[in-house]
Amino acid sequence: MRIAFYGSSLLSSYWNGAATYYRGLLADLARRGHRITFYEPDAFDRQQHRDIETPPYAEVRVYPATEDAMRAVVAEAAAADVVVKASGVGVFDDDLLAGVIAASRPEAIRIFWDVDAPATLAEMRADAGHALHRAMPALDLVLTYGGGPPVVAAYEGFGARACIPVYNALDPQTHHPVPPDPRFSADLAFLGNRLPDREARVEQFFLVAAARLPERRFLIGGSGWEGRGLPANVTHVGHVYTRDHNAFNASPRAVLNIARDSMATVGFSPATRVFEAAGAGACLITDAWEGLEFFLKEGEEVLVARDGRDVAEHVAALTPERARAIGAAARARIAAEHTYARRGAEVDAILARAAAEKIAETVGPVLTRSVV
């Protein structure tokens, strides 16, 4: 199928946590024969911070962040068999959604792909005039980055024909063990941009743990933290490019995952970082959230903390041998059950079913009229 995908960015992970997710899924869909064009705006300095050049699995159309350019790329939806509008493009989101629906052919599969369902659903509850309320009757599918049963129920309550979570995963070709890098040596490392609904949990889980263990070394990566006061034993390394994620995960004794407030509340929303860390064989410590056991087993494949005190206790007790064992177990579990090859197979099957339903919708009435 020809897929037109309108998203934030495939080429850059700069202030764009969905990049790894897009890359893993679209690369596998291309291997299954789908032809993909990814449309991304030149916005938020992402093109100046590219992690990759145009990949072999997709044509990438970078367009100026102007209304005229947006309208031009929207018109190209008419040539696609599958039209995807992702959440969080950041530029003309509402116009993109309405535009690609209007431009797509009647037989095309129309998908809204939500990479931040808790935030989107909160907006929809607060605003009866939200663009998705208007668009929902024309959408064939809502796919989500995570969320599980609560998100499915919420979207179906808003009238979605079908809502299906397609979780983050591992691409073992891009995220795998590498030798330690002295730049990222630490007892505990955390990678994540400074965001309003994450900062309080970073304080609670990471900075409190650092303050309780002043003799240990802590490392924080991501944009925005340079303006935040940090304990003396915490080193900030700024934005960490995707090419350095394996080293960032493989070098510390343990890596910390902290869900954003909304993701932790909804549950079933493992961040990309969880799979990247597991792929590199890292010993992962995570905050607690519903659905974790679907991905990793507590105590054997991941360590779970309820607050910064728990994090500090895990770090203080963690030996190099146990850290390696937990990391190896996590890598084996994720590689066996949660790869983008598996996710790609799920999406391929979803698209096949949706295509069959569209044929039934469009051909059925024609056959009925011809018989009559």
Side-chain angles (χ1 to χ4, degrees):
M1 297 183 189
R2 293 166 297 179
I3 301 175
F5 199 113
Y6 297 80
S8 51
S9 180
L10 189 69
L11 302 178
S12 175
S13 65
Y14 187 70
W15 288 102
N16 178 37
T20 298
Y21 180 70
Y22 291 151
R23 293 167 188 173
L25 275 168
L26 298 184
D28 190 78
L29 288 174
R31 285 192 287 269
R32 296 174 188 279
H34 298 282
R35 290 171 290 164
I36 302 157
T37 303
F38 192 98
Y39 298 90
E40 61 179 76
D42 185 355
F44 309 110
D45 292 327
R46 289 183 181 132
Q47 300 308 313
Q48 290 72 46
H49 295 85
R50 287 188 177 188
D51 299 295
I52 62 172
E53 294 305 316
T54 300
Y57 53 82
E59 178 186 353
V60 180
R61 295 284 304 278
V62 179
Y63 59 94
T66 66
E67 191 169 352
D68 287 344
M70 179 272 296
R71 287 175 177 165
V73 297
V74 159
E76 297 185 20
D81 303 305
V82 180
V83 177
V84 178
K85 164 61 176 72
S87 67
V89 173
V91 179
F92 301 116
D93 270 286
D94 292 352
D95 292 332
L96 276 169
L97 179 60
V100 298
I101 288 173
S104 60
R105 294 176 290 118
E107 64 270 25
I109 301 166
R110 303 182 184 107
I111 299 173
F112 179 70
W113 205 316
D114 199 343
V115 296
D116 193 354
T120 304
L121 290 167
E123 292 171 3
M124 293 177 72
R125 293 184 186 104
D127 181 7
H130 193 282
L132 262 174
H133 289 303
R134 298 190 299 273
M136 198 67 72
L139 293 171
D140 298 294
L141 289 166
V142 174
L143 303 182
T144 68
Y145 171 102
V151 164
V152 172
Y155 261 115
E156 290 180 348
F158 282 129
R161 296 186 192 182
C163 175
I164 305 171
V166 180
Y167 296 109
N168 276 306
L170 168 69
D171 181 349
Q173 299 301 312
T174 58
H175 292 98
H176 47 75
V178 298
D181 186 325
R183 291 178 298 164
F184 305 126
S185 176
D187 292 289
L188 184 69
F190 168 73
L191 180 59
N193 293 330
R194 187 182 181 186
L195 298 171
D197 74 338
R198 174 184 284 147
E199 186 168 2
R201 292 177 68 81
V202 173
E203 169 76 35
Q204 178 186 2
F205 285 88
F206 183 76
L207 298 180
V208 166
R212 294 181 70 88
L213 298 173
E215 74 286 359
R216 299 298 186 101
R217 297 178 61 193
F218 290 72
L219 187 73
I220 188 168
S223 300
W225 300 107
E226 56 276 2
R228 175 72 157 78
L230 299 171
N233 61 334
V234 176
T235 299
H236 176 230
V237 294
H239 177 68
V240 180
Y241 287 93
T242 302
R243 62 177 177 265
D244 290 325
H245 282 191
N246 286 327
F248 186 95
N249 289 319
S251 301
R253 181 167 298 182
V255 173
L256 181 64
N257 173 68
I258 306 171
R260 289 164 38 212
D261 283 343
S262 55
M263 295 292 190
T265 299
V266 170
F268 292 90
S269 301
T272 305
R273 306 288 179 237
V274 170
F275 299 95
E276 290 184 355
C283 175
L284 184 68
I285 302 173
T286 184
D287 57 340
W289 39 271
E290 187 180 358
L292 173 60
E293 68 281 357
F294 179 72
F295 304 96
L296 293 167
K297 185 175 182 180
E298 182 177 353
E300 295 182 15
E301 299 163 341
V302 65
L303 298 174
V304 178
R306 273 70 188 174
D307 54 26
R309 182 171 184 166
D310 281 356
V311 173
E313 289 177 357
H314 283 315
V315 172
L318 194 61
T319 64
E321 295 75 19
R322 185 162 189 240
R324 285 193 294 269
I326 292 171
R331 182 168 179 252
R333 170 78 179 276
I334 295 298
E337 300 180 14
H338 299 287
T339 63
Y340 280 117
R342 281 180 172 260
R343 301 291 189 260
E346 293 170 11
V347 174
D348 189 50
I350 290 168
L351 294 179
R353 289 196 301 271
E357 291 170 3
K358 294 292 283 192
I359 291 172
E361 288 176 7
T362 56
V363 175
V366 172
L367 292 176
T368 300
R369 288 196 298 271
S370 65
V371 170
V372 173

